[in-house]
Amino acid sequence: MLLPFVAALSLAASIQSAPPAAPQVVAREAWTMGTRLGVVIEATSVAEATHAAEEVVREVERFERMLSTWDPRSEMHAVNTAELGRPIDPSPELALLLAEAERYSRISSAAFDSRIGALVDAWDLRGAGVEPTADALRRAREAAGSRSISVDESTGTVIRHASAAWIDTGGFGKGAALRSVARGLESVNVSRALIDLGGQLWAQGSADEPWSVHVAHPTERQRPVARLEIQGVSVATSGTSERFIEIDGVRRGHILDPRTGRPAPAWGSVTVVSSDALEADALATALYVMGPHVGLAWAERQGGVDALFLQVDDGELTASWTRSMEQWLIDAPQTHTHQDGNHR
Ligand code: AMP
Ligand code: MG
């Protein structure tokens, strides 16, 4: 009668003393949404990690099929070419995203506004770039913004009012895909994950094992200037250093100021951290358009917006950030100002 008990005891002892299984790490790379997708997954087995990595790639590809403004087979393309004046009800998923984009446009007073298609065309941002004539710019501005396309914020119903008008999903698509990836990862047995979708990250980990990531200098991309320790959040950076067109020797970024119809001036970069990847994406674009001073004041006013502004002026870097950004910031640039203007 004693034997099974002893056996059970020794089994328990051996379980306790066994070293914890080392996590298995799988890395995967893919090209989707017009950019590089890098996936690193840690799980208890290679099979689980591989499966999760494949799911991530598949999910981002699904978003590309839904949101692409390049692929004429996408649902977004159908919305963007819908008959003028006819209300369109996109699929529930797309309707929610468009309604959300509309909300970011409203709260940012149109610093963020995805209804910039006509302006993207006028500046030929997808081609070699061209400075539009005053008349062409005026026409493009009329075919952009809230009067050109109405999006019902509660239902996502879209009505196009101008033939040149289309919604550019570039300002929130990566964030939307990453948010969905993050939700998917919650339901599988993954201990840690770092997803990089064209520079926007999703970091999943634990408080004692966060991911350490660098924020690059806005114009010298090889130079790290800040370090963040993150988990359970996304990090999005908007800037004009990497993607730009050159018109008559002047660099024009790919971020437009919908309020002027012109490319936002190149001043540096802004990095936003949020547990909602779409919010990080949309707010980074919005804050870039607002610029480092108005943007910082706006972000502080909103409350709970974790943002780091890196401004380059005559080659000199100035950093500023919201108070709530400090929870992620481990190594910060030397010169910085808070919203109240105090230099440290
Ligand atoms: P991001 O790199 O996230 O800042 O997004 C930039 C992309 O969003 C551009 O390539 C455009 O496709 C689109 N975009 C540019 N300006 C805006 C804007 N003011 N609001 C929303 N989307 C924008
Ligand atoms: Mg963005």
Side-chain angles (χ1 to χ4, degrees), residues 110-114 116 120 126 168-172 174 237-239 243 254-258 281 284-285 289:
F112 178 91
D113 193 336
S114 296
I116 49 166
V120 170
R126 293 184 162 194
D168 182 351
T169 52
F172 68 89
K174 287 188 283 184
T237 297
S238 283
R243 292 172 56 199
H254 61 114
I255 299 177
L256 289 162
D257 185 339
D281 194 2
T285 307
V289 171

Side-chain angles (χ1 to χ4, degrees), residues 4 20 22-23 64-65 74 117-118 139 183 208 243 298 327:
E64 179 178 34
R65 283 195 298 278
S74 74
R139 273 184 281 118
R183 285 177 184 159
D208 50 337
R243 292 172 56 199
W298 185 87
Q327 61 186 307

Side-chain angles (χ1 to χ4, degrees), residues 9-326:
L9 258 187
S10 65
L11 181 66
S14 70
I15 287 173
Q16 269 169 16
S17 60
Q24 303 293 316
V25 183
V26 164
R28 170 89 156 81
E29 190 181 43
W31 292 88
T32 173
M33 293 190 107
T35 193
R36 177 185 171 274
L37 167 63
V39 181
V40 177
I41 305 270
E42 283 184 22
T44 46
S45 74
V46 171
E48 277 171 318
T50 306
H51 178 73
E54 289 311 310
E55 288 294 305
V56 169
V57 175
R58 260 203 292 276
E59 185 62 356
V60 178
E61 286 173 346
R62 190 175 72 79
F63 269 78
E64 179 178 34
R65 283 195 298 278
M66 172 168 55
L67 295 180
S68 176
T69 50
W70 300 82
D71 183 353
R73 293 164 302 181
S74 74
E75 189 187 358
M76 197 59 234
H77 183 82
V79 173
N80 273 338
T81 50
E83 196 184 313
L84 298 191
R86 187 162 73 85
I88 299 291
D89 286 310
S91 64
E93 190 175 25
L94 181 56
L96 275 176
L97 293 176
L98 294 178
E100 233 178 312
E102 173 65 21
R103 189 175 75 81
Y104 284 111
S105 174
R106 176 174 54 79
I107 66 168
S108 70
S109 307
F112 178 91
D113 193 336
S114 296
R115 292 166 291 204
I116 49 166
L119 292 165
V120 170
D121 290 338
W123 290 90
D124 192 23
L125 290 185
R126 293 184 162 194
V130 65
E131 169 108 37
T133 62
D135 196 42
L137 185 59
R138 185 187 50 76
R139 273 184 281 118
R141 290 185 69 188
E142 278 168 16
S146 59
R147 278 170 303 137
S148 69
I149 303 179
S150 30
V151 181
D152 188 313
E153 200 181 305
S154 55
T155 62
T157 301
V158 177
I159 307 175
R160 288 175 72 238
H161 304 293
S163 55
W166 56 278
I167 293 171
D168 182 351
T169 52
F172 68 89
K174 287 188 283 184
L178 276 179
R179 182 172 67 186
S180 187
V181 160
R183 285 177 184 159
L185 285 172
E186 272 169 20
S187 60
V188 290
N189 195 13
V190 161
S191 43
R192 293 174 88 225
L194 188 66
I195 318 295
D196 177 349
L197 181 53
Q200 183 172 352
L201 304 175
W202 171 259
Q204 182 181 316
S206 57
D208 50 337
E209 268 193 307
W211 291 92
S212 173
V213 301
H214 285 108
V215 181
H217 187 285
T219 52
E220 299 157 46
R221 305 292 297 164
Q222 299 309 315
R223 207 175 121 196
V225 292
R227 189 167 71 85
L228 315 177
E229 278 188 359
I230 49 165
Q231 72 90 19
V233 288
S234 180
V235 182
T237 297
S238 283
T240 49
S241 67
E242 273 171 348
R243 292 172 56 199
F244 59 86
I245 52 164
E246 213 165 284
I247 305 170
D248 300 333
V250 180
R251 278 188 178 193
R252 309 278 190 177
H254 61 114
I255 299 177
L256 289 162
D257 185 339
R259 304 161 306 183
T260 62
R262 300 184 155 272
W267 56 264
S269 70
V270 52
T271 297
V272 175
V273 180
S274 172
S275 58
D276 178 341
L278 191 148
E279 175 177 280
D281 194 2
L283 289 187
T285 307
L287 293 174
Y288 188 83
V289 171
M290 291 180 200
H293 304 294
V294 174
L296 181 61
W298 185 87
E300 288 288 23
R301 262 202 322 277
Q302 291 291 304
V305 176
D306 310 344
L308 166 68
F309 298 81
L310 297 174
Q311 190 182 358
V312 182
D313 222 349
D314 272 341
E316 201 186 315
L317 181 73
T318 311
S320 53
W321 55 83
T322 58
R323 287 180 200 286
S324 60
M325 184 70 188
E326 299 202 341

